[in-house]
């Protein structure tokens, strides 16, 4: 997954980690848009399922002893932040360019954006 300069700025502004985007890309649904871009989101109906799955992975991670402590802390932080993002009222999203799998921007849905017709 490539990230544009604009997307890097948006990641920093919204305190997203690149690993969080990878998780969202893996569990999210892709909605095709005009101009060859796609919107990746986690549907509201599936949020609870994924939060439970990530919590289970987080608890299993705590029991592992063969992973270095620094790596375990980093993964635990990313998983915990992903749970927070999915639990929030405004769900995270990102927009990517289909042909090159390049992330263009990311953010959190607001009520105004939800009513727009993509």
């Amino acid at each position: 997954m490539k990230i544009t300069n604009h997307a890097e700025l948006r990641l920093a502004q919204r305190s997203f980690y690149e690993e969080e985007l990878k998780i969202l890309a893996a569990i999210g649904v892709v909605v095709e848009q005009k101009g060859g871009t796609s919107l990746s989101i986690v549907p509201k109906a599936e949020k609870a399922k994924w939060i439970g799955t990530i919590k289970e992975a987080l608890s299993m991670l705590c029991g592992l002893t063969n992973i270095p402590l620094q790596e375990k802390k980093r993964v635990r932080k990313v998983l915990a932040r992903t749970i927070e993002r999915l639990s929030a009222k405004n769900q995270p999203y990102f927009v990517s360019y289909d042909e090159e799998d390049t992330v263009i921007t990311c953010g959190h849905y607001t009520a105004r954006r939800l009513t727009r017709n993509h």
Side-chain angles (χ1 to χ4, degrees):
M1 178 181 298
K2 299 176 192 173
I3 298 179
T4 63
N5 290 336
H6 176 79
E8 284 182 17
L9 289 172
R10 295 298 173 255
L11 284 169
Q13 287 175 341
R14 292 161 175 95
S15 68
F16 270 104
Y17 292 140
E18 189 174 338
E19 291 89 354
E20 290 176 79
L21 281 185
K22 290 179 182 178
I23 292 172
L24 290 175
I27 67 175
V29 173
V30 176
V31 179
E32 298 298 325
Q33 299 185 116
K34 296 178 185 176
T37 61
S38 58
L39 176 72
S40 297
I41 59 169
V42 178
K44 287 183 181 180
E46 294 184 13
K47 279 179 21 175
K49 176 186 83 167
W50 285 113
I51 289 170
T53 302
I54 294 171
K55 283 182 180 179
E56 187 177 321
L58 193 58
S59 66
M60 289 172 29
L61 176 70
C62 294
L64 296 177
T65 57
N66 58 344
I67 298 176
L69 184 60
Q70 289 299 101
E71 181 69 14
K72 191 185 282 191
K73 282 183 179 179
R74 188 184 64 76
V75 172
R76 186 176 17 206
K77 185 174 183 179
V78 169
L79 291 176
R81 287 173 56 99
T82 303
I83 291 170
E84 287 176 21
R85 299 239 188 251
L86 292 176
S87 300
K89 178 183 174 186
N90 298 329
Q91 61 184 1
Y93 73 90
F94 70 93
V95 177
S96 60
Y97 187 64
D98 291 335
E99 292 180 12
E100 300 171 8
D101 195 29
T102 303
V103 176
I104 298 170
T105 191
C106 66
H108 303 278
Y109 263 122
T110 62
R112 182 182 62 82
R113 285 194 185 115
L114 287 174
T115 58
R116 264 186 11 201
N117 188 10
H118 289 283

